[in-house]
Amino acid sequence: MGRVVVVSGGGTGIGAAAAELFAGDGAEVYLLGRRENVLAATAEKLGPRAHAVTCDLRSPRSVEAAVRQLPGTVDVLVNNAGARGVAAGGDDLTAVAERWTSDFRNNVLVAVLLTAALTRRLRSPGGRVVTVSSLAAVRGNGSYGAAKSALHGWNLTLASELGPRGVTANVVVPGFIAGTEFFGQDTTDDERTRRAAQTLVNRVGEPGDAAAAIHYLASPDAGYVTGQFLHVNGGALPGR
C-alpha cells in the first residue's frame, strides 16, 4: 500500500494539482473541503485511490467527524485550504472585525484544527506536514496577508514540536498562480502579462509549480528539511 496523503482544499487549483502528483505515486489521497460535488469530481478524475471527504475545516466538530473517516496513520498532511476576503475599508469597526475574523478562520484556523486533529496519526518517523501560505504573508495585504503570516510563525512552533518524532513541517509560499479560483479562472491576458513582467522568468505560475514544491517537501528526500519557507514566485520576490 502506498502512503496516505490528506490534502485540504483538494478539489481545485494547487490542492488538486498536488493530489494528482501524490496519486501518481500510488498514494491513497484524501481530499477535504466544503464542496462535495467539486471534491467528488476531482476524486473521480484521480482514480480509485482518491477519496472525497466533505467537511467545514473551520468547525472543530466537522473536523472531528472528517478525521473519523481517515486511516489511522497519515504520512502526509497538506494544509492547502484558504480563502481571500474582500478588504474592509472605512471606519465601520463591525465590518473590520468581521473581515479580520473571517480571514483568520479561513486561512489559519483551517490549518491549525486539521493539524491538531491529525498530529497523533502522523507517521513517526517519516511524517510530513506542508502548509500553503502566500506571498502576501511577506509583502503584506491587510487581514489576508496578516493571516497568512500567522501560518509562518505557527509552522516554526509546529516544526519544533514534531521534529523529535522525525516529522517535518514546512511552508510553501506561492506568488501569483494563474488558473485557480483564488486569482480567478478568467484572468485577463493583460493581467497575466503584468504579473509575468514582475518575475525573473517572464511567466506566471501555474498550479503545478506550487504542487511540485509541495511534492518535494513531502518526499522522503526532504527528511532533513523542516521549519522552512519555500518561495515559489518566479523570482518576483528574490530570496535573501
Side-chain angles (χ1 to χ4, degrees), residues 122-150:
L122 292 171
R123 184 174 299 281
S124 303
R128 303 281 186 265
V129 179
V130 183
T131 299
V132 179
S133 174
S134 167
L135 190 57
V138 291
R139 275 193 166 171
N141 186 4
S143 56
Y144 173 74
K148 288 299 189 183
S149 180

Side-chain angles (χ1 to χ4, degrees), residues 26-225:
E28 293 286 333
V29 183
Y30 292 80
L31 312 176
L32 273 61
R34 285 182 288 172
R35 295 179 296 175
E36 182 177 3
N37 60 329
V38 173
L39 293 175
T42 300
E44 182 178 6
K45 175 185 175 183
L46 296 181
R49 290 184 177 275
H51 316 275
V53 180
T54 306
C55 67
D56 184 347
L57 293 163
R58 302 167 301 179
S59 164
R61 289 186 177 181
S62 186
V63 172
E64 289 172 348
V67 167
R68 287 195 290 269
Q69 301 178 55
L70 303 178
T73 299
V74 172
D75 295 278
V76 179
L77 168 59
V78 179
N79 288 311
N80 172 70
R84 178 177 59 176
V86 178
D91 57 1
D92 184 342
L93 296 187
T94 298
V96 171
E98 288 176 352
R99 171 52 51 215
W100 280 77
T101 300
S102 176
D103 277 341
F104 180 84
R105 285 165 52 87
N106 288 332
N107 295 285
V108 181
L109 202 59
V110 292
V112 172
L113 288 180
L114 183 58
T115 303
L118 290 177
T119 294
R120 292 184 179 180
R121 300 194 189 197
L122 292 171
R123 184 174 299 281
S124 303
R128 303 281 186 265
V129 179
V130 183
T131 299
V132 179
S133 174
S134 167
L135 190 57
V138 291
R139 275 193 166 171
N141 186 4
S143 56
Y144 173 74
K148 288 299 189 183
S149 180
L151 291 173
H152 292 204
W154 167 68
N155 183 75
L156 293 175
T157 299
L158 184 65
S160 67
E161 292 175 346
L162 297 179
R165 293 172 46 191
V167 178
T168 66
N170 294 285
V171 178
V172 169
V173 189
F176 179 79
I177 303 293
T180 66
E181 291 181 334
F182 185 87
F183 286 107
Q185 296 282 3
D186 301 320
T187 304
T188 66
D189 289 340
D190 287 345
E191 177 65 5
R192 290 176 69 100
T193 299
R194 185 183 74 84
R195 294 280 191 168
Q198 295 176 347
T199 73
L200 301 180
V201 295
N202 198 34
R203 73 171 179 87
V204 297
E206 302 293 342
D209 294 313
I214 294 169
H215 190 255
Y216 162 67
L217 290 174
S219 72
D221 292 337
Y224 199 55
V225 180

